[in-house]
Amino acid sequence: MSIAAVTPPAFRSIYERRSAAKVVVPVSRHRVIMAVQSSSVVSAAPILTKLKKDCATPLPVLRHVADAMAADMRAGLVADGVSDLKMILSYVDTLPTGNEKGLFYALDLGGTNFRVLRVQLGGKEERVIATEFDQVSIPPELMFGTSEELFDFIASGLAKFAQTEGGDFYLPQERTREIGFTFSFPVKQTSVDSGILIKWTKGFAVSGTAGKDVVACLNEAMERQGLNMRVSALVNDTVATLAGARYWDDDVMVSVILGTGTNACYVESIGAIPKLQSNDSKSGRTIVNTEWGAFSNGLPLTEFDREMDAESINPGEQIFEKTISGMYLGEIVRRVLIKMAQGGELFGNSISEKLMTPFALRTPDICAMQQDTSKDLGHVGSILYDVLGVSSNTAERQIVVEVCDTIAERGGRLAGAGIVGILEKMEEDSKGLIFGKRTVVAMDGGLYEHYPQYRSYLQEAVDELLGSEISKNIVIEHTKDGSGIGAALLAATNSKYPHDF
Ligand code: ADP
Ligand code: MG
């Protein structure tokens, strides 16, 4: 075991931990010393000190979260409605092998954007012959509109994209184009190509979709567009990511999304799912979608989290998601800054309108502020001025960066603990099959991809919890855009046309 694994971080200062060899976060020791020397900073410090205490994730907290995650997973596999974790059966029990052939489409609705993709697959030798994609951002008003409006917008985007097909793409005559539909909201799957929306998350509040089959909603919209395509697989983005990563690497067993929202799925044995009624999985395994964003057990939360939750469109729900995912990290920081500013301790005496605007500070902004290594934190100053309309001195900027770091650290470390919970659950059921060999956790999502400090904190927590011996077998790997190809691959493995892959 490494020293990191046996010495709870609680007994070390945050600065020691941050300068530990493997964590690539700029050391900000001098900033903190300077901060203490400034009078305006001293008066803001009590809020920062309390924030750090409330957000602390020493090893015992991480351990509790990992254990509770594993326990909630087991409970959710026994029956529906008894656990925070829904443990949704994906009906995906054949994973891509590399032999898939033909033209397939993917459509991904996951949050801020929707993406369309086509891929020409050439089997083991040729693999991906050609791929093309397009991305359209969702107009904010559609996130609060009707189901028909949203699906019409998606179907028309898909129709435009399909019209541009040519070149390397080829579909035998008389075949309908098949789509893998990645839909990253909680769905009660009824078969591999149908599923009922349980509820919208990640800020969506579209009326008229909850309780409906989302494939039917899309089919109806495609019909209205005169578009002849067919959904062969309805999958969650985590499931698609797992499939996409597995296409290249047989050791992929878990996938995690850290983007606007968060979720995780993994390969489960049929025998470990008591709530499974009929068992027609030929492989004896199936992918289970945990919907871990709803996890809530033992998380270190602050007054800022509670207020944000209370004012959210889904109070009391998705607490893990609200603590670790991209949609919320910037907003939590904004709320802390308001409290500091209201005491007159940051940003002079005026509180700007922008600072008071919910979600004005986005996670990419706090990430950008953390990348500023200049002496006067000039870039932090510009972001605070441009985004929040506040002027700041160097000492104030140091405080702001510390707040960002505290929220990112908590998020990353808790995400890491969640991953360990999943791995430990799998290992308990089949000793040695996870920890005794190379096991890959496929990661995707803009937060994981673009926030280096968050990524380091996540890895650090995994290493602390597992110890160095085991953690060297666990590969946590970013698989960029795996979900697009993954969904197309699942359209292939679930094609209605005869195939032998
Ligand atoms: P989605 O989750 O909406 O499908 P992505 O996986 O691309 O889309 O994730 C987008 C999210 O990733 C954004 O909402 C934001 O929270 C986060 N993100 C994007 N860019 C950055 C960045 N530079 N730093 C930190 N977080 C980022
Ligand atoms: Mg996504």
Side-chain angles (χ1 to χ4, degrees):
M1 285 234 265
S2 69
I3 292 174
V6 291
T7 312
F11 299 108
R12 291 178 287 140
S13 84
I14 181 170
Y15 308 111
E16 275 171 357
R17 177 140 44 88
R18 203 179 299 154
S19 55
K22 57 183 177 292
V23 185
V24 259
V25 176
V27 179
S28 55
R29 192 190 298 257
H30 71 281
R31 285 184 206 161
V32 177
I33 293 166
M34 284 171 66
V36 175
Q37 286 165 349
S38 151
S39 65
S40 74
V41 167
V42 170
S43 49
I47 297 171
L48 182 59
T49 307
K50 180 163 186 330
L51 180 75
K52 284 186 176 173
K53 188 166 156 274
D54 291 347
C55 290
T57 48
L59 193 55
V61 169
L62 296 180
R63 168 69 21 233
H64 174 87
V65 167
D67 290 348
M69 183 67 75
D72 280 5
M73 287 170 71
R74 285 189 191 285
L77 289 170
V78 172
D80 286 338
V82 297
S83 168
D84 272 354
L85 300 198
K86 290 200 162 63
M87 304 302 283
I88 296 168
L89 308 177
S90 69
Y91 290 82
V92 171
D93 39 30
T94 346
L95 283 163
T97 58
N99 293 319
E100 295 75 12
K101 279 188 180 160
L103 169 63
F104 296 93
Y105 274 75
L107 169 65
D108 177 345
L109 178 63
T112 41
N113 298 306
F114 88 85
R115 300 178 185 94
V116 282
L117 170 147
R118 62 180 149 250
V119 61
Q120 188 76 40
L121 300 167
K124 261 258 145 64
E125 296 303 312
E126 292 179 279
R127 292 279 170 157
V128 175
I129 294 170
T131 177
E132 278 176 350
F133 72 98
D134 200 4
Q135 176 165 308
V136 187
S137 61
I138 311 240
E141 64 272 17
L142 287 188
M143 293 168 66
F144 302 94
T146 68
S147 190
E148 278 193 7
E149 286 164 348
L150 178 65
F151 281 98
D152 279 344
F153 180 77
I154 293 164
S156 86
L158 182 60
K160 278 188 208 125
F161 181 65
Q163 274 161 16
T164 63
E165 185 191 291
D168 292 329
F169 299 95
Y170 167 76
L171 188 82
Q173 269 189 351
E174 306 307 318
R175 284 202 178 188
T176 302
R177 284 170 178 73
E178 293 183 290
I179 312 170
F181 181 16
T182 306
F183 184 78
S184 318
F185 299 93
V187 160
K188 165 101 181 129
Q189 201 92 31
T190 38
S191 69
V192 77
D193 60 0
S194 63
I196 312 284
L197 176 69
I198 298 168
K199 60 165 189 252
W200 291 102
T201 53
K202 297 182 271 187
F204 275 67
V206 176
S207 61
T209 325
K212 282 205 187 137
D213 176 2
V214 292
V215 173
C217 291
L218 178 61
N219 281 337
E220 286 157 22
M222 290 196 296
E223 250 167 61
R224 287 193 290 270
Q225 298 287 332
L227 180 64
N228 179 27
M229 291 176 93
R230 166 182 182 274
V231 174
S232 308
L234 171 68
V235 292
N236 193 280
D237 55 353
T238 32
V239 175
T241 297
L242 201 156
R246 184 68 168 246
Y247 182 66
W248 301 105
D249 187 338
D250 287 340
D251 291 338
V252 174
M253 295 296 280
V254 179
S255 84
V256 174
I257 303 293
L258 287 161
T260 305
T262 183
N263 194 10
C265 75
Y266 69 106
V267 180
E268 183 59 286
S269 309
I270 292 294
I273 313 176
K275 73 179 177 185
L276 186 70
Q277 270 148 19
S278 62
N279 167 12
D280 49 13
S281 160
K282 287 186 197 75
S283 64
R285 291 171 152 207
T286 191
I287 299 180
V288 174
N289 163 16
T290 64
E291 287 298 329
W292 83 353
F295 178 77
S296 65
N297 194 328
L299 299 173
L301 299 177
T302 66
E303 61 187 289
F304 308 104
D305 301 295
R306 285 184 257 275
E307 283 163 18
M308 178 180 73
D309 175 48
E311 289 166 30
S312 72
I313 56 168
N314 53 351
E317 293 174 11
Q318 300 292 112
I319 303 299
F320 197 45
E321 180 161 279
K322 285 171 180 160
T323 318
I324 72 168
S325 84
M327 176 161 173
Y328 302 98
L329 300 185
E331 173 63 5
I332 300 167
V333 169
R334 187 190 66 89
R335 286 169 179 270
V336 178
L337 300 187
I338 291 176
K339 180 155 182 189
M340 289 173 162
Q342 275 170 342
E345 291 148 356
L346 274 186
F347 314 140
N349 291 322
S350 62
I351 293 171
S352 71
E353 204 174 294
K354 282 184 184 166
L355 179 60
M356 295 308 288
T357 307
F359 293 93
L361 187 66
R362 298 165 321 121
T363 301
D365 301 323
I366 68 166
C367 172
M369 290 197 278
Q370 278 205 261
Q371 310 319 310
D372 186 352
T373 51
S374 70
K375 219 169 166 201
D376 69 342
L377 297 176
H379 193 48
V380 174
S382 333
I383 293 172
L384 291 173
Y385 187 78
D386 295 344
V387 176
L388 296 180
V390 290
S391 302
S392 56
N393 60 34
T394 306
E396 289 172 322
R397 294 170 198 165
Q398 288 156 0
I399 291 274
V400 172
V401 172
E402 283 290 306
V403 172
C404 298
D405 189 57
T406 304
I407 299 305
E409 176 178 17
R410 179 185 66 166
R413 286 174 62 85
L414 290 174
I419 291 172
V420 170
I422 294 179
L423 293 170
E424 287 183 342
K425 192 269 170 207
M426 297 169 82
E427 172 73 12
E428 275 167 30
D429 288 358
S430 53
K431 287 267 178 291
L433 285 182
I434 299 297
F435 292 156
K437 60 167 208 33
R438 179 175 179 273
T439 295
V440 178
V441 180
M443 309 290 297
D444 202 4
L447 176 64
Y448 187 80
E449 184 181 351
H450 299 297
Y451 206 153
Q453 285 84 355
Y454 185 99
R455 223 168 31 227
S456 301
Y457 286 131
L458 186 156
Q459 182 70 55
E460 175 192 69
V462 171
D463 294 346
E464 278 178 32
L465 277 165
L466 294 180
S468 58
E469 270 309 295
I470 292 175
S471 71
K472 67 176 187 256
N473 281 343
I474 304 300
V475 182
I476 299 181
E477 211 167 57
H478 179 223
T479 50
K480 183 152 175 55
D481 297 329
S483 82
I485 293 253
L489 286 162
L490 291 171
T493 54
N494 293 286
S495 170
K496 72 170 176 180
Y497 299 108
H499 57 82
D500 57 2
F501 35 82

